[in-house]
Amino acid sequence: MTARRFQEWAEAGVIQIPISMAPPLRQVNSYLLRGPEGVTIIDPGPRTDVTEQEWKEVLRELGLQPADIAAIVLTHHHPDHFGLAGYLQQLTQAPVYMSARSYEEAERMWGAKSTVNEALPALFRQHGMPEEWLSQLPSHLHSFMAQVTPFPEVTFVMEGSPIAMGGGNWEPIVTGGHAPGHMSYYNRSSKIMICGDAVLPQISPNISLVPGSEPDPLQSFMDSLKRLGAYEVSMAFPGHRSPFDYFNERIRLLIQHHEQRLERMEQLLLEKPMTGFEVCSAVFGTKLGIHQMRFAMSETLAHLLELVRQGRTALEETGWNGELQFRALQESYRTR
């Protein structure tokens, strides 16, 4: 890690700290805010040998001791945001703040009673994913355990109860869809939004259907975008890529992107009924590693089930093995 890797946004009182993660994104944005209450770290990144060393160097370059860290705030439960929280809590003794729903999702994915290693392949099998992909899923999912160990002891954040960071009050806003219980944080006086993965510049946040979790993730995401669009935002600090000042325009483009994806999938189904995996392959291709294929399949199912919810497609069993396929409701399509 080179010196002065971080970037300070002085007017916003925010220090942006890129922390290493696996491709294709390669970096996640952590943020650091200083105030009378102490230093707050937001989304410290995944736990690896590399990221532990990166944080040691960041603290040294900023002239901070572990005891200077007053709080660790998490937008959501994904390993690239949540992973180091337990390790840093042990190092600093700082409280860790996140939503109760987000912590529930962390338990669902990596807790002692988690069944996702069995439930996700079973869901994908129902929707036509071949065994060559299914066989890779359990070890892939298990590989994240090291990135999130140990779990932190958590203090729950609630919407409507501002938290102090950087000498100001920040309003937690539930912004689901990408991750249930995802929280964005808004400073009304500076019009700054720390938005995690709720709104990203240049790329679209993944919207995934996960067994036992949020049943309508795309609807939740679109509703959250519309909520965020009501805020006046001068600068947004996202979980990936650079901070940006076109927050409301980016929201409009993300809504348009997902509406177009729904249209494309509906058009595919007008040609013939298809399994979820067939639609996924048509939209995203199959030249993907297992990580990206998992995201692509979960995102495809989130969109297809949104079409079902809207009455634009039907979900049907195809035979004795319980495989499912989607069929376009053409009459509904013509009359919209």
Side-chain angles (χ1 to χ4, degrees):
M1 176 172 170
T2 59
R4 299 297 298 175
R5 171 186 175 126
F6 49 85
Q7 180 175 357
E8 186 164 3
W9 298 78
E11 291 184 5
V14 176
I15 298 175
Q16 177 192 358
I17 304 168
I19 295 295
S20 297
M21 61 175 290
L25 290 174
R26 299 184 183 278
Q27 291 183 334
V28 59
N29 289 330
S30 293
Y31 295 105
L32 188 147
L33 292 81
R34 303 194 215 216
E37 70 285 345
V39 175
T40 300
I41 293 172
I42 298 175
D43 288 352
R47 185 180 184 187
T48 66
D49 291 343
V50 170
T51 60
E52 287 180 27
Q53 185 60 32
E54 286 177 342
W55 270 107
K56 288 175 184 176
E57 294 183 19
V58 165
L59 295 178
R60 188 190 74 247
E61 291 173 27
L62 291 173
L64 297 173
Q65 298 298 317
D68 295 326
I69 308 305
I72 299 163
V73 175
L74 306 175
T75 58
H76 62 295
H77 73 284
H78 291 163
D80 54 324
H81 298 257
F82 167 87
L84 266 169
Y87 166 81
L88 283 180
Q89 185 176 56
Q90 290 181 347
L91 181 68
T92 66
Q93 303 304 305
V96 173
Y97 296 94
M98 69 189 302
S99 75
R101 180 63 190 279
S102 193
Y103 188 76
E104 177 187 325
E105 291 297 315
E107 291 277 15
R108 186 191 313 284
M109 292 298 296
W110 306 290
K113 297 180 181 179
S114 173
T115 59
V116 73
N117 284 13
E118 298 79 33
L120 191 64
L123 174 69
F124 286 178
R125 182 177 289 110
Q126 267 194 310
H127 287 282
M129 179 175 272
E131 288 297 327
E132 65 190 80
W133 288 106
L134 294 170
S135 63
Q136 300 178 58
L137 280 169
S139 60
H140 164 66
L141 293 167
H142 183 75
S143 71
F144 292 103
M145 293 294 294
Q147 295 184 27
V148 298
T149 301
F151 269 33
E153 294 184 11
V154 171
T155 301
F156 294 138
V157 172
M158 293 182 293
E159 193 172 58
S161 298
I163 63 174
M165 300 188 291
N169 287 323
W170 295 76
E171 303 170 23
I173 308 164
V174 177
T175 43
H178 172 73
H182 185 296
M183 286 289 197
S184 298
Y185 295 90
Y186 181 66
N187 185 299
R188 197 167 290 275
S189 62
S190 64
K191 299 181 174 58
I192 299 297
M193 183 75 76
I194 295 173
C195 51
D197 287 356
V199 181
L200 298 176
Q202 304 163 333
I203 57 176
S204 173
N206 176 254
I207 311 303
S208 282
L209 183 76
V210 176
S213 185
E214 200 164 35
D216 300 304
L218 183 57
Q219 181 192 21
S220 177
F221 182 66
M222 301 288 259
D223 288 347
S224 292
L225 289 178
K226 291 168 186 174
R227 287 191 73 200
L228 287 172
Y231 287 83
E232 185 180 353
V233 175
S234 61
M235 183 67 71
F237 289 83
H240 304 278
R241 308 290 175 91
S242 298
F244 59 106
D245 60 2
Y246 48 94
F247 188 72
N248 293 90
E249 173 64 9
R250 185 59 187 151
I251 287 173
R252 184 188 68 79
L253 291 173
L254 284 169
I255 291 171
Q256 181 183 76
H257 165 77
H258 287 286
E259 288 174 343
Q260 289 172 345
R261 179 158 287 169
L262 289 170
E263 291 280 357
R264 182 178 179 193
M265 291 185 182
E266 189 173 31
Q267 286 291 335
L268 287 169
L269 295 174
L270 282 166
E271 297 173 10
K272 63 175 182 178
M274 302 173 76
T275 66
F277 185 76
E278 288 170 335
V279 176
C280 177
S281 299
V283 173
F284 295 102
T286 56
K287 296 181 185 286
L288 304 170
I290 186 59
H291 182 72
Q292 290 301 97
M293 178 56 81
R294 172 172 68 91
F295 277 1
M297 185 67 174
S298 288
E299 175 138 341
T300 297
L301 293 178
H303 284 75
L304 290 171
L305 290 176
E306 177 62 16
L307 289 174
V308 172
R309 190 191 70 82
Q310 293 182 17
R312 295 160 65 176
T313 68
L315 179 61
E316 306 171 327
E317 282 197 26
T318 61
W320 62 269
N321 64 352
E323 189 171 89
L324 302 172
Q325 68 176 13
F326 295 86
R327 175 176 57 84
L329 299 175
Q330 297 188 32
E331 183 176 342
S332 170
Y333 179 80
R334 285 197 299 269
T335 57
R336 276 192 301 109

